[in-house]
Amino acid sequence: MERRKFLTIPLAAMAAPGALLASNAGTAQAATAPAGIPTVPAVTLPADTLKGFGWGGKDALALQQIKSLKLDWHYTWGSHYNVTTNPPFVPMVKSARTLLEQDAIGWVTRQLTQTKTKHLLGFNEPDNRSQANMSVDEAIRLWPKLQATGLRLGSPAPAGTASPWLAEFMAKAKQKGLRVDFMTMHRYAWPKADDFLSKVTELHERYGKPVWVTEYAVADWNATSTRPSIYSRSQTEDFMRATVAGLRAMPFVERFAWKTRPAGDPKMGCSALFHTNGSLTTTGRLYASL
């Protein structure tokens, strides 16, 4: 679909059954880089935007849960797979520590025979003290190590899509001729599909690159153990249906991944894909069906 035509379609209309043909959805485009900035060959992806999941489990239950969601891909926030390469695994260099102290790049390259991945995810929430917790200059200094893998490289994923950290990183990467092949983003918010999809579009508009939504879900950050989330599972599931349809209709979105927490979590329990015994919730069964 031509971009001009795509941008004339109301976001809400994307969720309507049959609103857009699947052949328009999620086909990877070769990134057009300014002169002097290195690129890698375009990767041909399936016609549909790929459904994924982030899950760090390392036991038989984790394998069962990953399989139960009928995924196209998965990741673990780590540089090596834990329990399976089917569905396909995408590695991540989570932080400076994993890169410099835990041989993240070594793990990525040694397992290429098994994973056959063509993609590598960059630092995870570097603007968040409880995650990668990196300055922009540190990330820029270390980025050539990720680039040297030759894999198609996703941007660092900040805590917010309009992050000043990301804007500074992308500006400095451009100045230094560093390569970023697609943008990654996280988004936790109220169950309004139009608002969520507009944030995805804004990220693509801002940097002109394909997008992977590597974490998203419904969350009530004001919830507590005595005042649980104001959002219901029904609202969450309506949001999931609409956003999956909308993401698949966006020609610049290549992949997405829902984020789960324990079913009893006061802030995100309505987004949980699994019961405490590991079986699928109704939300998990819905995600598996989409």
Side-chain angles (χ1 to χ4, degrees), residues 120-141:
L120 178 63
L121 297 172
F123 306 122
N124 188 69
E125 296 194 355
D127 55 341
N128 184 341
R129 285 190 175 186
S130 66
Q131 293 296 320
N133 190 27
M134 300 168 67
S135 70
V136 170
D137 287 340
E138 181 181 29
I140 288 291
R141 177 173 58 83

Side-chain angles (χ1 to χ4, degrees), residues 90-237:
V90 176
M92 171 188 284
V93 177
K94 183 177 181 180
S95 65
R97 181 170 178 267
T98 60
L99 177 61
L100 299 174
E101 300 177 20
Q102 298 176 9
D103 191 27
I105 295 297
W107 277 105
V108 171
T109 55
R110 285 193 297 272
Q111 291 194 341
L112 281 175
T113 302
Q114 290 80 39
T115 65
K116 298 180 175 59
T117 185
K118 295 179 173 62
H119 312 279
L120 178 63
L121 297 172
F123 306 122
N124 188 69
E125 296 194 355
D127 55 341
N128 184 341
R129 285 190 175 186
S130 66
Q131 293 296 320
N133 190 27
M134 300 168 67
S135 70
V136 170
D137 287 340
E138 181 181 29
I140 288 291
R141 177 173 58 83
L142 295 175
W143 199 252
K145 295 181 181 293
L146 280 64
Q147 188 172 297
T149 63
L151 297 172
R152 192 162 177 266
L153 189 54
S155 72
T161 54
S163 166
W165 192 103
L166 182 62
E168 184 182 349
F169 174 88
M170 293 298 290
K172 289 185 174 180
K174 182 177 180 179
Q175 291 168 5
K176 293 183 177 293
L178 300 177
R179 174 168 57 81
V180 177
D181 298 301
F182 57 92
M183 306 305 298
T184 65
M185 64 172 280
H186 297 170
R187 180 72 177 172
Y188 299 96
W190 56 2
K192 288 183 67 68
D194 280 5
D195 180 70
F196 169 79
L197 294 169
S198 71
K199 298 299 182 186
V200 179
T201 300
E202 287 169 12
L203 182 65
H204 169 68
E205 291 283 342
R206 190 173 298 122
Y207 299 109
K209 295 180 183 292
V211 174
W212 290 27
V213 183
T214 50
E215 294 183 21
Y216 89 104
V218 172
D220 177 2
W221 297 121
N222 295 317
T224 66
S225 58
T226 57
R227 204 283 280 166
S229 173
I230 62 174
Y231 304 125
S232 68
R233 191 164 290 278
S234 175
Q235 286 176 296
T236 300
E237 291 172 4

